[in-house]
Amino acid sequence: MQKYIVIADDLTGSNATCSLLKKIGLRAASILKLQNGMKYDADVISYSTGSRGLDKEEAYKRVSEAIKILKDKNVLVYNKRIDSTLRGNIGAEINAMLDNLENDRIAVVVPAYPDSKRIVVNKTMLVNGVLLENSDAGKDPKTPIKTSCVETLIQKDCKYSSTYFDLADIEQPTEKLIKKIQKSTEKSRVLIFDAVNNEDIIKISRAIIQSNINIITVDPGPFTLYFSKELQKKKHLEKKILMLIGSVTETTKKQIEYILQEEDIFLVKMKAESFFEKESCIKEIERVISFIKKGIESYELFLITTSPIGDEKKLDLKKIAHKLNTTVEDVSKIIANTLTETAVRVLKETQKFEGVYSSGGDITIALLEKLKAIGVEIREEVIPLAAYGRIIGGDFSNLKLVSKGGMVGDETVIKLCLHKMKNDI
């Protein structure tokens, strides 16, 4: 299992970074006490050294002890979580991280937190439009900030040389930014970046990944979030959502048409008419699975459906039942079972999905049976008659699930359900 290690200087920061990383589907745990050899059932292990108000020697010691315990060959991202107003022993703690990891590690420092009104312009941090030194952080009785210069605050007590990237650097074409990053690592082990919005941070993240350098992230959270997300894409580790829709109601049709316009979705239309003969059914299932595997690395949202789209006509279940000498109910079960059998095989053969959206009660029941689930832990109601939760037991315990009736909700309901799964913290 790939791991994400966060070393924070206080518990609030540790918890905050956990919350951010959970937004990209990672299971995160904020640990209060470290033990050698302890195994944690989580993707993200975040630990607070409680060192923000200590002297630099003690801060260095605590971070060193923590990283020695937590470092592992399977770690994908190391983060030195710093305060969003740059209080604490930042330089000394960067030293501790770099001293105890591989010699080629580069500390990439992106102090901005745009969503919290912390931005960095030409080495200067502004908090809610005010110079950092004139903000509440400047008046902190324990760790007051005397300057707004990010470079000065980062370099204090840091024994490694640094290179600064201002907004003009970030505004360059990505190829030029990458070249400067690579050139800078020849002389510096600390790279510091301006950023005024999330788009800047995303661009920095992509440039760092394309530079092929071995790093630790140093930031209050957003850079680690976007860097981890981009790294997941590169390594094909990002979690995806599978939508499974078998309802033929007009409500469902409108919902599908709306979500296809709103989101970038890998659409797979199953030929339900082929479900009623064994050979053609097997071929159709295999076709769909093969098709999805080809697109699995390029999309995050997948829709498998037998529902009519556009001008397509829905199947005449009575006619099919008559031809098969059975009931309409049995025909519906065949459709539900085939659709869910396909979905379960996709889940098992790709191991890429963190959640499933299921429309239609018969579809949800068939899916849970095939996953050998013993139930669903209901977290909350998205809208009336659309419930969000996680699967209990079976082959995919803890898989996120939103289930709703085929006639439930307006055209926007699928988007609401997807948003709930993506942002579950």
Side-chain angles (χ1 to χ4, degrees), residues 130-181:
V130 175
L131 287 172
L132 174 62
E133 62 197 277
N134 294 331
S135 71
D136 288 342
K139 307 165 189 173
D140 189 314
K142 292 184 179 179
T143 53
I145 300 295
K146 302 298 184 182
T147 177
S148 301
C149 180
V150 166
E151 188 175 36
T152 300
L153 292 167
I154 301 300
Q155 286 186 326
K156 180 186 177 184
D157 301 323
C158 185
K159 68 181 184 181
Y160 295 102
S161 62
S162 65
T163 297
Y164 201 97
F165 295 74
D166 59 24
L167 286 178
D169 293 315
I170 297 167
E171 288 298 318
Q172 293 183 100
T174 303
E175 294 74 18
K176 288 188 176 181
L177 179 58
I178 291 170
K179 286 182 180 179
K180 180 171 180 179
I181 290 170

Side-chain angles (χ1 to χ4, degrees), residues 195-208:
V196 297
N197 51 46
N198 290 330
E199 287 70 27
D200 288 340
I201 300 176
I202 292 169
K203 184 174 182 179
I204 294 165
S205 300
R206 291 173 177 168
I208 291 293

Side-chain angles (χ1 to χ4, degrees), residues 23-194:
K23 292 182 178 181
I24 56 173
L26 298 174
R27 296 176 302 150
S30 185
I31 304 301
L32 299 178
K33 187 176 182 180
L34 292 179
Q35 297 180 26
N36 278 305
M38 183 71 176
K39 301 296 182 182
Y40 302 97
D41 185 24
D43 304 306
V44 180
I45 304 301
S46 185
Y47 173 70
S48 168
T49 55
S51 53
R52 181 174 299 171
L54 303 179
D55 61 61
K56 61 183 179 181
E57 291 79 14
E58 182 63 22
Y60 177 92
K61 178 183 175 182
R62 291 193 183 189
V63 173
S64 295
E65 290 173 348
I67 201 65
K68 286 176 182 177
I69 292 173
L70 290 170
K71 67 180 179 180
D72 185 272
K73 64 180 181 179
N74 293 318
V75 173
L76 191 62
V77 176
Y78 286 103
N79 168 238
K80 170 81 268 297
R81 201 278 179 184
I82 60 175
D83 176 50
S84 66
T85 54
L86 301 179
R87 294 170 294 167
N89 297 287
I90 297 174
E93 296 189 3
I94 289 175
N95 292 343
M97 295 286 285
L98 294 179
D99 287 351
N100 289 283
L101 292 170
E102 305 93 328
N103 291 333
D104 66 340
R105 290 276 178 179
I106 303 294
V108 178
V109 188
V110 186
Y113 200 145
D115 290 347
S116 293
K117 310 301 181 185
R118 278 90 161 131
I119 65 171
V120 182
V121 182
N122 299 327
K123 302 185 181 183
T124 302
M125 176 169 277
L126 301 174
V127 179
N128 290 311
V130 175
L131 287 172
L132 174 62
E133 62 197 277
N134 294 331
S135 71
D136 288 342
K139 307 165 189 173
D140 189 314
K142 292 184 179 179
T143 53
I145 300 295
K146 302 298 184 182
T147 177
S148 301
C149 180
V150 166
E151 188 175 36
T152 300
L153 292 167
I154 301 300
Q155 286 186 326
K156 180 186 177 184
D157 301 323
C158 185
K159 68 181 184 181
Y160 295 102
S161 62
S162 65
T163 297
Y164 201 97
F165 295 74
D166 59 24
L167 286 178
D169 293 315
I170 297 167
E171 288 298 318
Q172 293 183 100
T174 303
E175 294 74 18
K176 288 188 176 181
L177 179 58
I178 291 170
K179 286 182 180 179
K180 180 171 180 179
I181 290 170
Q182 292 172 331
K183 184 70 175 176
S184 298
T185 59
E186 296 175 5
K187 60 179 181 179
S188 301
R189 288 192 69 186
V190 179
L191 310 182
I192 311 171
F193 289 81
D194 275 353

Side-chain angles (χ1 to χ4, degrees), residues 147-375:
T147 177
S148 301
C149 180
V150 166
E151 188 175 36
T152 300
L153 292 167
I154 301 300
Q155 286 186 326
K156 180 186 177 184
D157 301 323
C158 185
K159 68 181 184 181
Y160 295 102
S161 62
S162 65
T163 297
Y164 201 97
F165 295 74
D166 59 24
L167 286 178
D169 293 315
I170 297 167
E171 288 298 318
Q172 293 183 100
T174 303
E175 294 74 18
K176 288 188 176 181
L177 179 58
I178 291 170
K179 286 182 180 179
K180 180 171 180 179
I181 290 170
Q182 292 172 331
K183 184 70 175 176
S184 298
T185 59
E186 296 175 5
K187 60 179 181 179
S188 301
R189 288 192 69 186
V190 179
L191 310 182
I192 311 171
F193 289 81
D194 275 353
V196 297
N197 51 46
N198 290 330
E199 287 70 27
D200 288 340
I201 300 176
I202 292 169
K203 184 174 182 179
I204 294 165
S205 300
R206 291 173 177 168
I208 291 293
I209 289 172
Q210 292 176 51
S211 299
N212 293 314
I213 59 175
N214 199 17
I215 76 163
I216 63 168
T217 64
V218 183
D219 75 312
F223 173 56
T224 299
L225 170 67
Y226 292 118
F227 177 78
S228 299
K229 188 173 183 178
E230 293 299 322
L231 200 58
Q232 283 183 333
K233 289 180 180 178
K234 180 185 177 182
K235 294 181 174 291
H236 310 311
L237 297 172
E238 73 272 24
K239 299 295 185 178
K240 304 168 187 293
I241 294 175
L242 180 64
M243 291 170 278
L244 199 59
I245 303 176
S247 173
V248 296
T249 66
E250 283 299 314
T251 298
T252 297
K253 183 179 177 181
K254 290 178 181 179
Q255 290 169 354
I256 292 175
E257 291 172 352
Y258 179 83
I259 198 64
L260 289 176
Q261 292 177 351
E262 290 290 309
E263 299 285 350
D264 189 17
I265 292 174
F266 191 92
L267 172 65
V268 186
K269 186 72 170 62
M270 291 197 78
K271 302 171 184 176
E273 61 271 16
S274 66
F275 291 0
F276 308 104
E277 292 183 6
K278 185 176 181 180
E279 186 175 338
S280 62
C281 184
I282 291 173
K283 285 184 178 179
E284 178 63 3
I285 292 173
E286 294 296 338
R287 178 190 72 84
V288 170
I289 293 171
S290 176
F291 186 44
I292 289 177
K293 285 181 177 178
K294 289 178 181 178
I296 195 69
E297 307 300 354
S298 302
Y299 290 79
E300 292 185 359
L301 301 174
F302 292 75
L303 169 58
I304 304 177
T305 183
T306 55
S307 302
I309 299 173
D311 296 329
E312 293 177 1
K313 293 182 179 180
K314 59 184 179 182
L315 289 179
D316 188 335
L317 300 190
K318 289 183 179 180
K319 187 176 180 180
I320 295 172
H322 179 73
K323 181 179 179 181
L324 298 175
N325 193 28
T326 186
T327 65
V328 170
E329 179 68 19
D330 285 338
V331 171
S332 295
K333 285 182 179 179
I334 291 171
I335 294 173
N337 283 327
T338 306
L339 192 57
T340 52
E341 180 183 343
T342 306
V344 169
R345 284 193 55 188
V346 168
L347 292 174
K348 290 182 176 180
E349 293 183 28
T350 63
Q351 295 292 321
K352 292 284 188 178
F353 292 90
E354 68 167 332
V356 175
Y357 168 88
S358 175
S359 179
D362 53 343
I363 298 293
T364 303
I365 291 171
L367 177 66
L368 292 173
E369 287 177 348
K370 287 180 174 59
L371 291 175
K372 301 174 185 176
I374 63 174

